[in-house]
Amino acid sequence: MGATKVVENLSGRTVLVTGASSGLGFAVAKQLAGAGARTLLACRDAERAGAAIERIRTAHPAARAEFVRLDLASLESVEEAAAELADRAGELDVLVNNAGVMAPPPGHTPDGFEVQIGVNHLGHFALTGHLLPLLLAAEQPRVVTVTSVMHKLAVRNELTDFKILPHGSNWLGYGRSKLANLMFAFELDRRAHGRLCSIAAHPGVARSDLMARTEGGARKVLGPLMRHGTDLFAQSADQGARPILFAATAKAALKAGGARPRVRGEDPDLTGTRFFGPRGPGGLRGAPTVAGASGPARDPELCRELWVASAEATGVRYAALG
C-alpha cells in the first residue's frame, strides 16, 4: 500500500480529534493541523489541551487549532460539546474517534455504564450521532474510529451488558470496548449507504500514556512489564498514528478493504469492511495496510444488535440516516 501520505492541502476542511492532548490523538491532530485543516481538539482538560495547541502552533505557526471541552464519560457533556460545535462549525469533514481508557480501576460512568465501554464506545457512539448533521453537510465526510488488536481478546457474550465487566476482568472489558469500536465503525458504514465513509483503524503498539494511566492491580502487575516492553519494541506515537491518518485522509482508504468475493464486471462492495493497521508481524508496527477483524466484528447481525443496544442506552437514534 506504500507510505502514508496526508493530503498535502487540507485548507477549508474541518476535523475533530477526541483525546488529542497527548499520545496518538495529539500526533494525529498535529499532522492534520499542519496540513491546513481547522483542527478541533476535543479533550476533558482545558490546560492540557491548551499546552497541546501551543505545541502544534510552535511546529506549524499558521495552524488553526482549537479546544472543545468534551468528557466522553458523560452523555450530558457529549451532547453539550456537539451543540457547541454546531454553533462553531457549519460542517465537519473528518471525525476521529480516538480517546479511550485502558484497564482503569473498576467503576462506572455518571450514567451507570462500566467505564471502559462507557468512554471508549458509548461516548463515541453518542458523539458521532449528535454530530451527524455536521458530517452529512460536508462534501465527503469520514468517521474514523480507533480500535486495537486487543479487540480479538473480547468474548462474544456480555457484549451488550454495558453495566458489568465481562467475566469481571478489566482486560476483557478493554477488549470488549475495542471490539465495540470496530463493530460500530462497520455498522455505521453499512447504515450510511454512502452518505459518509466510516473506517476503522488501529495503531499496533505505540508509545503513549494510556498504560501509564491504568491503576490498581493492572498498573502494579502489568503496567511496568508493558511499559518496559513498549520501550523495546513499540512504535512512536507519530508512527502509530499513520494508519489513523491514512484512514482519515488517503483516497486509497476508500478503495481498499476486506471486500466480499468479486463478481466479474462488478466493483467489490467494501461497505462495512474498511479497517487499517500496521503491516508488520502481528499488526504491531509498520506502514498502513488492510487489517484483519475478528469473527464477531464480521458478523452483521451481531453488529446490528450492538447498534440497537447502544442507541437504547444512549438515547441517540441517528435519525438523519433514516
Side-chain angles (χ1 to χ4, degrees), residues 99 144 220:
V144 178
K220 292 176 182 177

Side-chain angles (χ1 to χ4, degrees), residues 32-320:
L32 294 175
R38 178 188 179 191
T39 304
L40 305 167
L41 285 71
C43 312
R44 287 186 304 167
D45 190 304
E47 184 175 350
R48 294 183 64 193
I53 288 171
E54 287 305 311
R55 290 169 62 197
I56 290 173
R57 290 175 177 165
T58 297
H60 306 290
R64 299 180 64 196
E66 306 171 26
F67 168 59
V68 177
R69 187 181 301 278
L70 171 68
D71 181 357
L72 287 163
S74 165
L75 293 178
E76 181 180 8
S77 174
V78 170
E79 186 171 6
E80 290 174 351
E84 178 184 341
L85 283 165
D87 291 335
R88 290 167 56 178
E91 60 186 40
L92 182 62
D93 296 277
V94 180
L95 169 61
V96 180
N97 290 324
N98 162 79
V101 293
M102 176 192 284
H108 293 81
T109 69
D111 301 295
F113 307 123
E114 187 275 318
V115 66
Q116 292 177 103
I117 197 74
V119 171
N120 298 357
H121 167 59
L122 293 173
H124 282 123
F125 180 93
L127 178 67
T128 306
H130 285 308
L131 293 178
L132 196 57
L134 294 183
L135 287 161
L136 294 179
E139 184 176 354
Q140 292 183 317
R142 299 192 197 191
V143 176
V144 178
T145 301
V146 179
T147 180
S148 165
V149 292
M150 289 185 69
H151 84 273
K152 295 182 179 180
L153 300 180
V155 293
R156 190 182 184 103
N157 59 341
E158 301 181 356
L159 179 63
T160 59
D161 192 342
F162 300 137
K163 295 185 178 181
I164 66 168
L165 276 169
H167 299 288
S169 166
N170 247 1
W171 290 104
L172 287 179
Y174 180 70
R176 174 181 67 169
S177 72
K178 294 289 100 180
L179 174 60
N181 286 150
L182 183 54
M183 295 169 71
F184 163 65
F186 288 170
E187 184 66 8
L188 175 60
D189 203 45
R190 283 188 282 263
R191 289 174 180 255
H193 298 294
R195 298 174 66 187
L196 62 77
C197 187
S198 174
I199 308 175
H202 79 84
V205 177
R207 298 185 187 98
S208 73
D209 59 355
L210 191 61
M211 174 55 66
R213 294 181 187 177
T214 63
E215 297 185 21
R219 182 171 185 172
K220 292 176 182 177
V221 177
L222 292 178
L225 176 63
M226 293 187 70
R227 284 195 296 275
H228 291 312
T230 294
D231 290 339
L232 292 174
F233 63 81
Q235 307 180 100
S236 67
D238 284 337
Q239 291 171 321
R242 289 183 295 174
I244 303 168
L245 288 163
F246 180 84
T249 65
K251 291 182 180 178
L254 305 180
K255 301 176 182 179
R260 60 171 168 78
R262 185 166 185 168
V263 178
R264 180 175 296 179
E266 180 185 16
D267 289 335
D269 180 6
L270 301 177
T271 303
T273 65
R274 297 178 183 89
F275 179 27
F276 302 100
R279 68 168 65 249
L284 299 182
R285 59 184 300 150
T289 191
V290 174
S294 67
R298 291 182 281 107
D299 183 337
E301 180 60 26
L302 195 61
C303 291
R304 187 194 70 80
E305 291 176 9
L306 175 66
W307 182 283
V308 171
S310 302
E312 182 66 27
T314 62
V316 179
R317 304 292 182 181
Y318 284 71

